[in-house]
Amino acid sequence: MGRRVLVTGADTFWGGRMIQALEGDPDVDMILGMGSSSPSVQLERAEFVRADQTYSTLSRIVRATQVDTIIHTFLVVDSTLVRPRVLHEINVIGTMNLLAAAGAAESPVRHVVVKSSTLVYGSSEKDPNTFSEDEPRSSPPRTRVERSLVEAESLVRDFAEDNPSTTVTLLRFANVLGSDIVTSISKNLSRPVCPSVFGFDPLVQFVEEDDVVRALEFVTRHQLPGLFNVAGSGRLPWSEVASICGTHLVPLPPVKPALALRPFIQLGLFDFPPELESLLRFGRGVDTRRLVDAGFRYRYTSAGAVQNFIRSLRLRRSAGHRPETYTYEHDVEQFFRHSPSVVVRGGPAPPGSFGPGGS
Amino acid sequence: MRTLLRQIYDPVYSKWFRAEWEGLEKIPTEGGALLVANHAGAIPSDAPVIMHGIEKELGRPVYGLADYFFRTVPVVGTLWSRAGGVSANPDNAYRLLHDQRQLAVVFPEGTKGPSKSFTDRYQLRRFGRGGFVEIAMRTGVPIVPIAVVGSEESMPVVFRLPALAKLIGVPYFPITANFMMLGPLGVLVPFPAKFRLRVLDPVTFDVPPDQERYSKSRVMDEVENIRTLIQETIFDMLRDRRSIWFG
């Protein structure tokens, strides 16, 4: 019997990407996407349910669908995206409710995958050059997003301890760059000027967005338990990243750089979330040997991720933005999936799965 | 960047300090080794002299393990890391010595060495808490002690301003003889004291590597041995020194 997978954050970039990747996997019988707004990408056979992250909804969904795998992509790692309160609600309370539902008595869930970030290592002068998975962070978390991720991870660890029969995988991703993802770093790099802190040229590490999805898929398929760093190999100086991207670095005063930048942030000329400040001072590197030893092969190095990002940015600049063609229409999607009038082509569909919907 | 820094520093090394080595053959030509030396002079020149010197004479890079504080200083921290400096984090040291089999230099006195005043010159301070011996045991590399003479006179500390240091958040704020004689330029210019460096016999420990813990008393014994060894050698070298400036 194939697997039944629940993906959180189906309306976000990662959830959508992850569902698309799983749809091509014949071993996956059922995919259920969950999100608080409509999905932004076209889904072929996945079901989508609009739900908030409260416990009662989650446990009902888990029980009713008998999912055996949960992929939790809905952790916010960029504090410019949501307000602080919402950040805490999503990262901590959302994760808590999800894990509570997954750990309920007679729960069908056998595997939980959580997408976290290397932000949990922080970035300080006391850091080692490369963090291995078991290394604790060397300074207490100072920014909201780091605090919430550290808290969410501790919930995951507690869950793993309380439910020894469930495989728990925690992936920590480095800063992502790629052809489609928009983060505060990618926004900075795509402008003519980009912030840096005067006198600091930190080594930073990136991971390409396709490698992120492939890593999530890899651990899901192989049911690898444990904690893994995911990042492209090598680190490169921030000044080099900027020169590859053809942007000019604006050195900010080393004392309270965010203060000097505030008017410009408000005008939308810079993105400078607090978690970026320490990164631009001390950088961050992680050891990726554990996932590589488990058999995962990266397509891109850190520098390759930057290259790929700037190449697609150049294309977008020259050819304009790709038009957004897809809007989710609930009734239409339901019709394609459940109406007896829809003819399923491409061989007999195994019971419990859904044929390729029309498009 | 690194080549440029080395080119700039070379005349300082060979013309200004006229550094001379003894026993360079005792430094392993391959495999990891932890070099341990005394540390002195308000802005200590012994670190660049050792790092540049060994790379020049033996063709092997030496990575300097330094206080975390270095990384927080704009410009200096970046230059230092480009020149081969690394935060003295046990994990960094392990990677350098064990995984990459490189040479690393550490000054166990830490900031206590350079911050001591000129009246205490060549009196070694406490050698930390023995982390350097532990890391050598864990990685299974030898410790090569180096005694340096000349660094004390290159930038003598006349007195310190602890209150000011606390205010601006630095480990110590020395007023040096250089500063008093040359003004602000004295921060950058050390006196041309003659540098002599003597490499001592490598110290090995017959303990199994990669242990979680090592006997603290054993570690502290070894620390004290190495400290005494360097201290005795320095006194010995000072007995033979005729002039501060010409050796």
Side-chain angles (χ1 to χ4, degrees), chain A residues 83-142:
Chain A
R83 282 173 295 124
R85 276 211 67 84
V86 182
L87 182 81
H88 177 81
E89 286 295 314
I90 293 173
N91 284 2
V92 182
I93 308 300
T95 306
M96 185 184 81
N97 286 334
L98 183 73
L99 294 174
E106 291 169 38
S107 157
V109 179
R110 289 291 152 263
H111 188 194
V112 175
V113 180
V114 180
K115 176 188 171 298
S116 178
S117 158
T118 55
L119 275 173
V120 296
Y121 295 119
S123 190
S124 88
E125 71 275 18
K126 296 190 183 103
D127 288 352
N129 279 3
T130 30
F131 277 105
S132 61
E133 283 84 349
D134 303 317
E135 202 120 358
R137 55 179 297 147
S138 43
S139 58
R142 282 193 206 92

Side-chain angles (χ1 to χ4, degrees), chain A residues 124-132 135 138 198-203 235 237-239 254 281-283 287 289, chain B residues 67-79 81-82 85-92 94-96 99-100:
Chain A
S124 88
E125 71 275 18
K126 296 190 183 103
D127 288 352
N129 279 3
T130 30
F131 277 105
S132 61
E135 202 120 358
S138 43
F198 173 77
F200 292 89
D201 193 11
L203 296 172
R235 303 166 74 191
W238 183 242
S239 60
R281 271 180 214 269
F282 305 116
D287 190 330
R289 284 180 287 191
Chain B
D67 197 282
Y68 303 134
F69 166 73
F70 253 86
R71 286 184 76 185
T72 65
V73 188
V75 186
V76 178
T78 306
L79 285 178
S81 71
R82 293 292 183 275
V86 178
S87 269
N89 183 303
D91 188 66
N92 284 347
Y94 186 88
R95 256 166 227 277
L96 271 174
D99 299 356
Q100 300 171 6

Side-chain angles (χ1 to χ4, degrees), chain A residues 103-333:
Chain A
E106 291 169 38
S107 157
V109 179
R110 289 291 152 263
H111 188 194
V112 175
V113 180
V114 180
K115 176 188 171 298
S116 178
S117 158
T118 55
L119 275 173
V120 296
Y121 295 119
S123 190
S124 88
E125 71 275 18
K126 296 190 183 103
D127 288 352
N129 279 3
T130 30
F131 277 105
S132 61
E133 283 84 349
D134 303 317
E135 202 120 358
R137 55 179 297 147
S138 43
S139 58
R142 282 193 206 92
T143 62
R144 283 171 195 281
V145 70
E146 285 175 28
R147 269 202 297 271
S148 71
L149 285 172
V150 167
E151 213 172 331
E153 280 205 1
S154 78
L155 294 170
V156 176
R157 256 190 299 279
D158 290 349
F159 174 83
E161 232 166 71
D162 297 343
N163 300 274
S165 60
T166 309
T167 309
V168 178
T169 318
L170 187 58
L171 296 181
R172 289 176 178 159
F173 292 93
N175 293 94
V176 187
L177 280 181
S179 38
D180 293 318
I181 179 112
V182 179
T183 65
S184 49
I185 289 185
S186 78
K187 277 193 270 182
N188 280 321
L189 289 175
S190 55
R191 297 193 184 106
V193 286
C194 176
S196 71
V197 181
F198 173 77
F200 292 89
D201 193 11
L203 296 172
V204 285
Q205 197 168 14
F206 292 104
V207 60
E208 218 278 337
E209 58 185 37
D210 290 338
D211 277 336
V212 173
V213 176
R214 286 177 58 244
L216 284 168
E217 237 190 313
F218 178 82
V219 296
T220 309
R221 184 169 312 131
H222 296 278
Q223 306 214 21
L224 289 176
L227 181 55
F228 299 95
N229 291 329
V230 188
S233 68
R235 303 166 74 191
L236 56 170
W238 183 242
S239 60
E240 203 175 313
V241 175
S243 74
I244 293 173
C245 296
T247 170
H248 300 279
L249 286 182
V250 182
L252 303 173
V255 184
K256 300 238 180 249
L259 201 67
L261 211 57
R262 189 163 294 162
F264 299 100
I265 297 171
Q266 251 140 26
L267 284 170
L269 296 176
F270 284 121
D271 278 85
F272 203 68
E275 63 269 18
L276 189 59
E277 185 192 323
S278 54
L279 184 73
L280 291 187
R281 271 180 214 269
F282 305 116
R284 188 186 303 122
V286 293
D287 190 330
T288 56
R289 284 180 287 191
R290 193 183 282 182
L291 191 63
V292 172
D293 289 346
F296 182 73
R297 290 291 166 267
Y298 287 93
R299 284 217 184 113
Y300 298 90
T301 59
S302 269
V306 179
Q307 287 285 358
N308 202 36
F309 160 72
I310 189 63
R311 278 165 55 86
S312 50
L313 182 67
R314 288 200 202 107
L315 173 69
R316 233 174 313 161
R317 276 180 187 151
S318 313
H321 291 267
R322 261 177 281 165
E324 292 286 332
T325 48
Y326 179 75
T327 42
Y328 178 81
E329 280 180 60
H330 189 69
D331 293 342
V332 179
E333 298 292 335

Side-chain angles (χ1 to χ4, degrees), chain B residues 38-49:
Chain B
N38 54 314
H39 210 23
I43 297 171
S45 288
D46 38 25
V49 164

